[in-house]
């Protein structure tokens, strides 16, 4: 099976995303060019450590790199101030220096927390991403967004801090529960919906095989997703414009996640899937998008086992609750709501000054109020 490389173009801070099978076993060789000394600290969670920790330790040792592991509890609740404090203290106790490389080895939670810790440790030290979930491989590990959650909302405290390298080993996806894999797949679908209708058609044909374990399809999907994100990040690193398109579905989705307390009741990708379906439905209600496109989006989400309607949540959440959380979104400007909407599959756009009353009325229809 081939190995693919995608470059994130950021001048002197450019880096490569390496995609393929068995890359954890080669991590030492891949990371050694970035190391000032043959020593690394790895931050991971308990589940990843049990299933793949020794693989990484051996992969680093094979290139003469020693590793200390910090193991955290799995789950979104780990992205908190209290865990950030514990992690930075542990990194300091282990003597991590500014020129050292800290590895984030896990899914989006570990990547976001570790990256944020690296951004503030000694006023900024280096880190690398070895994402072990599909969601992290195609989205959160790429682009330098790092953050923690607070009661007011998701990812509201954070920093832009780019990694020195990303290593996406698709073999690590074999250990994922199917629910986690499907949640990550929602972010893959997002890239087709934003700007690549051909990729969405490919996913309609190949998505089920990808979920069932087709390695070639997984490499192709991760590569296409990373190419799309790398191009956007290279043009708009700090999300002043076009990068906001990557938040398709997220404003709705984050509201549902906040309502469920960032718990396993709703995974991030599940919230994004429902959010994308709502973004297309709202676009239809505003006369912006053909209803047939929204139906196609929802049909594909349903086919792959992802939520496409608020009723799928089996919750008594109301439109007013959803709207309240949406107004905590990071893209709020001067109290105005920004949504990512669509004119068609593959033609998303940034809608500033969205009318909250119209959005709330739309949500009331969707919740049956």
């Amino acid at each position: 099976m081939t190995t693919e490389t995608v470059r994130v173009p950021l001048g002197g801070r450019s880096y490569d995303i390496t995609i393929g099978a068995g890359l954890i076993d080669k991590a030492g060789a891949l990371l050694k060019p970035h190391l000032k000394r043959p020593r690394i600290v790895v931050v991971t969670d308990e589940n990843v450590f049990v299933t793949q920790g020794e693989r990484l330790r051996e992969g680093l040792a094979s290139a003469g790199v020693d590793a200390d592991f910090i193991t955290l509890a799995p789950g979104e609740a780990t992205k908190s101030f209290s865990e950030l404090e514990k992690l930075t203290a542990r990194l300091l106790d282990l003597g991590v220096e500014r020129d050292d490389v800290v590895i984030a080895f896990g899914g989006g939670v570990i990547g976001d927390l570790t990256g944020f810790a690296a951004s503030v440790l000694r006023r900024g030290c280096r880190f690398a991403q070895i994402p072990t979930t599909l969601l992290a491989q195609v989205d959160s590990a790429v682009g330098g967004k790092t953050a923690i959650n607070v009661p007011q909302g998701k990812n509201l405290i954070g920093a832009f801090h780019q990694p020195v390298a990303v290593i996406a080993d698709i073999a690590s996806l074999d250990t994922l529960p199917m629910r986690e894999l499907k949640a990550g797949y929602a972010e893959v679908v997002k890239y087709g919906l934003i700007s690549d209708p051909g990729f969405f058609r490919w996913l309609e044909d190949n998505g089920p095989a990808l979920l069932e374990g087709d390695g070639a399809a997984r490499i192709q999907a991760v590569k296409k997703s990373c190419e799309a994100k790398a191009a956007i990040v290279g043009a708009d690193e700090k999300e002043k414009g076009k990068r906001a398109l990557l938040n398709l579905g997220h404003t709705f989705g984050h509201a549902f996640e906040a309502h469920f307390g960032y718990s396993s009741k709703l995974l991030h990708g599940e919230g994004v899937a429902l959010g994308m379906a709502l973004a297309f439905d709202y676009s239809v209600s505003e006369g912006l998008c053909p209803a047939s496109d929204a139906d196609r989006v929802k049909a594909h989400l349903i086919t792959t086992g992802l939520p496409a309607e608020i009723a799928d949540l089996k919750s008594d959440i109301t439109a007013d609750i959803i709207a309240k959380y949406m107004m905590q979104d990071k893209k709020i400007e001067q109290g105005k709501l920004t949504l990512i909407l669509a004119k068609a599959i593959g033609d998303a756009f940034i809608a500033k000054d969205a009318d909250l009353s119209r959005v709330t009325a739309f949500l009331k229809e969707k919740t049956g109020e």
Side-chain angles (χ1 to χ4, degrees):
M1 206 173 289
T2 59
T3 297
E4 302 282 356
T5 302
V6 175
R7 186 78 167 166
V8 181
L10 290 168
R13 293 173 298 109
S14 298
Y15 55 93
D16 287 336
I17 308 162
T18 308
I19 306 157
L23 299 183
I24 290 173
D25 306 300
K26 304 172 184 175
L30 290 168
L31 289 170
K32 201 162 186 179
H34 302 286
L35 304 183
K36 301 292 178 70
R37 55 176 175 162
R39 190 247 177 163
I40 255 174
V41 175
V42 179
V43 182
T44 189
D45 71 33
E46 294 160 0
N47 294 339
V48 174
F49 183 75
V50 168
T51 58
Q52 301 180 74
E54 285 308 308
R55 270 189 72 205
L56 180 57
R57 191 187 300 276
E58 292 170 7
L60 294 169
S62 66
V65 179
D66 293 326
D68 288 301
F69 280 74
I70 298 173
T71 306
L72 307 177
E76 197 75 27
T78 296
K79 280 175 57 172
S80 67
F81 265 121
S82 61
E83 291 298 326
L84 176 68
E85 181 181 10
K86 292 175 189 175
L87 177 56
T88 51
R90 183 78 177 113
L91 291 169
L92 291 171
D93 288 344
L94 287 170
V96 173
E97 299 174 2
R98 184 178 290 179
D99 285 336
D100 287 338
V101 174
V102 177
I103 294 180
F105 183 45
V109 168
I110 290 297
D112 283 1
L113 177 65
T114 305
F116 189 32
S119 77
V120 297
L121 193 77
R122 303 192 191 280
R123 295 198 176 100
C125 72
R126 300 186 303 149
F127 85 114
Q129 293 264 20
I130 304 182
T132 59
T133 67
L134 182 57
L135 188 149
Q137 289 182 1
V138 302
D139 188 63
S140 60
V142 178
K145 276 189 178 180
T146 73
I148 58 173
N149 302 329
V150 289
Q152 291 86 349
K154 187 179 175 74
N155 297 334
L156 294 182
I157 308 295
F160 289 93
H161 190 54
Q162 299 293 343
V164 298
V166 178
I167 300 170
D169 185 348
I170 63 146
S172 67
L173 304 181
D174 295 337
T175 66
L176 279 185
M178 182 54 73
R179 185 185 175 200
E180 293 275 357
L181 192 64
K182 288 179 178 179
Y185 181 74
E187 295 281 6
V188 177
V189 172
K190 177 186 74 177
Y191 292 106
L193 298 181
I194 288 171
S195 61
D196 194 340
F199 184 43
F200 182 74
R201 283 193 298 272
W202 183 88
L203 291 172
E204 288 177 305
D205 293 334
N206 296 278
L210 183 160
L211 292 171
E212 289 165 12
D214 186 318
R218 288 179 175 182
I219 288 177
Q220 176 69 1
V222 174
K223 180 188 176 188
K224 288 286 288 183
S225 299
C226 288
E227 285 175 340
K229 184 157 190 181
I232 290 175
V233 170
D236 179 24
E237 181 183 5
K238 299 293 179 69
E239 200 174 292
K240 300 298 184 184
K242 185 179 180 182
R243 185 168 179 171
L245 290 171
L246 296 171
N247 289 308
L248 174 67
H250 286 58
T251 303
F252 289 108
H254 286 170
F256 296 118
E257 286 185 86
H259 176 68
F260 286 112
Y262 310 113
S263 70
S264 60
K265 292 179 182 177
L266 184 73
L267 301 181
H268 172 66
E270 293 168 340
V272 168
L274 176 54
M276 292 190 299
L278 289 171
F280 268 80
D281 275 347
Y282 183 67
S283 298
V284 172
S285 75
E286 292 290 290
L288 302 167
C289 175
S292 58
D293 280 28
D295 291 342
R296 201 170 139 207
V297 171
K298 289 185 289 185
H300 185 58
L301 295 175
I302 293 166
T303 296
T304 51
L306 287 164
E309 296 286 354
I310 295 175
D312 295 338
L313 299 180
K314 296 180 171 58
S315 166
D316 59 358
I317 191 169
T318 66
D320 287 336
I321 289 172
I322 300 167
K324 179 191 76 171
Y325 282 118
M326 289 176 72
M327 287 305 293
Q328 288 288 353
D329 186 77
K330 297 183 297 300
K331 298 182 295 302
I332 294 290
E333 292 183 12
Q334 299 179 27
K336 300 292 186 179
L337 181 64
T338 296
L339 289 178
I340 311 306
L341 301 178
K343 297 175 183 175
I345 288 172
D347 189 6
F349 68 98
I350 301 165
K352 298 204 171 188
D353 295 350
D355 188 327
L356 185 62
S357 64
R358 294 175 71 88
V359 174
T360 304
F362 161 77
L363 290 168
K364 285 182 183 293
E365 288 185 19
K366 301 298 283 186
T367 56
E369 294 174 53

